[in-house]
Amino acid sequence: MRERPPITIGLIAAVIIGLALSVVSYVLVSTIRTQAIGPSLAFSAALLVVALSLMGMWAYGLIELLTLHYVVDRNGIVLATAFARQTIPHAAIQGVVEGESASAPSRLRGMTWPGYLRGTFTAEPFGRISVWATEPLLRQLVLVTDSGCYGISPANRGRFLADYAMRRDLGALELIPQELTPVGVASWSIWHDGLVWVAIALSLALDAVLATLSLARYSALPAIIPLHWNAQGQADRLAAKSGIFALPAIGAGVLVLSLVLAIAIHHHERFGARLLAWGSIGIQAALWTAAWQILGT
């Protein structure tokens, strides 16, 4: 049996949040297009990056909301979304308890908005609860096991409980582990490689600071700036001062390309993926050297 939680409230909230973030992003883009180059433009660009990051998190949560479901068979219960799958064998379940019997829960740690709750909180007498629900704890069912509890909110609780009891009593066809497994893009090995993400974070920080510095110093630059020097240290390529922005643009392009290639090869060539990620820092350092010569003129 496959059961879904009610998602109407969650979808309405998601639409409101998505529209709000879209409006904010549009206003920021419009502002950036009309602002003079300088520190205020850098600040607006930073706000746009934050807004787009929040849009990414919103999209992730929306996909989880739309794909959240529960499967009950003779072997156990599966809680699943497009990105994760939690299997719970019937033998591990000590009971299915109404969430209203719990005390006031702590603040949920994870993704949440009205009608969508994915994360963990603690509540007596259950302790830590992993939440896969769209309704508050008072309207959840809590699956109690030795190693943890799980909060769910099937749309038809009576049917869910009846089907759970029937299939449990039939006996398991095979033993399944009680484990949380990443699914789809969440299962890619690169997400767990800290060395890659440290390098990407450093490279991103270097490029962001370079872009900010270029914006802040733009008004003080001469109309014509050198972009390249020969072996004798003489400038052999000149351009309008707007050419300074080519450096952080190149850095951003290199960073994106390095990340895409690292993701593509990481499963089969972890060292190569790390080399690409850390190599992007070397490119950023070279761009910083060029920018320092230009901005110092």
Side-chain angles (χ1 to χ4, degrees):
M1 182 203 74
R2 180 187 176 107
E3 184 75 32
R4 287 182 53 80
I7 63 172
T8 302
I9 294 176
L11 279 178
I12 293 173
V15 169
I16 294 172
I17 294 169
L19 287 174
L21 289 173
S22 298
V23 169
V24 170
S25 298
Y26 176 79
V27 170
L28 287 171
V29 169
S30 300
T31 301
I32 289 171
R33 293 178 63 183
T34 58
Q35 275 183 309
I37 296 176
S40 60
L41 179 59
F43 180 71
S44 297
L47 289 179
L48 179 60
V49 170
V50 172
L52 293 177
S53 299
L54 291 174
M55 283 284 285
M57 295 173 62
W58 167 82
Y60 177 93
L62 179 59
I63 293 172
E64 280 225 320
L65 173 65
L66 292 173
T67 59
L68 177 60
H69 64 277
Y70 320 117
V71 177
V72 182
D73 58 25
R74 291 178 60 175
N75 300 316
I77 297 177
V78 178
L79 319 177
T81 71
F83 304 116
R85 176 185 173 91
Q86 175 70 58
T87 55
I88 312 169
H90 286 305
I93 300 175
Q94 299 175 340
V96 181
V97 184
E98 298 282 348
E100 63 186 9
S101 64
S103 63
S106 64
R107 183 175 179 179
L108 186 139
R109 300 177 60 183
M111 291 283 292
T112 180
W113 61 64
Y116 167 63
L117 297 91
R118 275 287 287 121
T120 61
F121 54 59
T122 57
E124 296 300 332
F126 303 113
R128 180 178 176 274
I129 302 175
S130 176
V131 185
W132 302 66
T134 60
E135 296 188 298
L137 181 59
L138 290 176
R139 294 195 293 274
Q140 291 178 25
L141 295 175
V142 180
L143 310 178
V144 181
T145 75
D146 277 335
S147 57
C149 298
Y150 306 88
I152 62 175
S153 57
N156 192 322
R157 296 168 64 167
R159 182 175 63 191
F160 179 89
L161 290 171
D163 199 75
Y164 158 71
M166 178 189 70
R167 295 177 187 270
R168 179 199 59 199
D169 293 342
L170 288 174
L173 296 175
E174 62 177 302
L175 295 177
I176 61 172
Q178 182 176 346
E179 64 180 5
L180 177 64
T181 307
V183 177
V185 297
S187 65
W188 294 353
S189 60
I190 195 168
W191 306 125
H192 308 289
D193 193 331
L195 288 176
V196 169
W197 293 108
V198 167
I200 293 299
L202 289 174
S203 185
L204 178 61
L206 286 171
D207 193 58
V209 173
L210 177 57
T212 303
L213 183 61
S214 299
L215 287 168
R217 290 277 296 140
Y218 181 80
S219 59
L221 292 175
I224 302 298
I225 60 173
L227 288 182
H228 190 269
W229 291 262
N230 59 25
Q232 288 73 42
Q234 299 171 328
D236 58 4
R237 182 183 172 190
L238 302 177
K241 65 179 182 178
S242 58
I244 187 65
F245 299 118
L247 298 178
I250 292 171
V254 168
L255 176 59
V256 171
L257 181 61
S258 298
L259 179 57
V260 170
L261 291 176
I263 290 173
I265 70 172
H266 188 273
H267 181 69
H268 302 289
E269 186 54 61
R270 180 168 298 186
F271 177 77
R274 291 174 176 175
L275 188 62
L276 281 167
W278 285 94
S280 68
I281 296 179
I283 301 297
Q284 300 293 348
L287 293 171
W288 261 94
T289 301
W292 193 258
Q293 289 181 287
I294 296 170
L295 295 174
T297 58

